[in-house]
């Protein structure tokens, strides 16, 4: 279900929080030499529900459904789709 997809997507922030923080700290040190927008960098390193919602809206707009996007946009046949599904849906 789409709610679960969004939940899993947003978990990215929880699982990468330490990495994001250390990367931002590193970028902050680089600010002594380069002009880095730390707020923009943090946005680029994290996920936002609006990003995924916009992607799904565009898929709906251009293809009509996720299934049509997979078939026509990604050009995956049934076997490739099943392989992708097994990779993406397997527990870590």
């Amino acid at each position: 279900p789409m709610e679960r997809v969004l939940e899993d997507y947003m978990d990215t922030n929880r699982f990468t929080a330490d990495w994001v923080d250390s990367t931002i700290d590193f970028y902050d040190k680089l600010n002594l030499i380069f002009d880095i927008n730390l707020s923009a960098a943090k946005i680029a390193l994290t996920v936002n529900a609006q990003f995924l919602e916009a992607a799904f809206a565009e898929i709906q707009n251009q293809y009509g459904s996720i299934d049509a996007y997979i078939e026509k946009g990604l050009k995956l046949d049934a076997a490739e789709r099943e392989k992708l599904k097994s990779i993406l849906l397997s527990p870590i």
Side-chain angles (χ1 to χ4, degrees), residues 18-38:
D18 291 341
W19 174 79
V20 169
D21 290 343
S22 66
T23 302
I24 294 298
D25 287 344
F26 176 71
Y27 288 173
D28 191 31
K29 289 177 178 79
L30 287 178
N31 260 340
L32 298 172
I33 303 168
F34 304 103
D35 184 23
I36 299 172
N37 182 325
L38 297 178

Side-chain angles (χ1 to χ4, degrees):
M2 204 53 67
E3 297 81 25
R4 179 58 194 259
V5 171
L6 184 58
E7 254 180 57
D8 286 353
Y9 177 73
M10 294 307 296
D11 274 345
T12 301
N13 289 333
R14 184 166 54 93
F15 292 126
T16 62
D18 291 341
W19 174 79
V20 169
D21 290 343
S22 66
T23 302
I24 294 298
D25 287 344
F26 176 71
Y27 288 173
D28 191 31
K29 289 177 178 79
L30 287 178
N31 260 340
L32 298 172
I33 303 168
F34 304 103
D35 184 23
I36 299 172
N37 182 325
L38 297 178
S39 296
K42 185 145 189 173
I43 290 169
L45 296 172
T46 57
V47 300
N48 180 307
Q50 291 174 322
F51 301 161
L52 188 62
E53 289 163 356
F56 282 131
E58 192 59 26
I59 287 169
Q60 187 67 34
N61 182 49
Q62 287 192 29
Y63 296 95
S65 70
I66 295 292
D67 290 330
Y69 169 68
I70 291 169
E71 181 184 326
K72 295 175 184 154
L74 298 178
K75 296 180 179 17
L76 296 179
D77 64 26
E80 292 167 323
R81 181 181 179 152
E82 286 306 310
K83 185 175 181 180
L84 180 63
K85 214 165 129 179
S86 72
I87 292 168
L88 295 177
L89 297 178
S90 64
I92 297 173

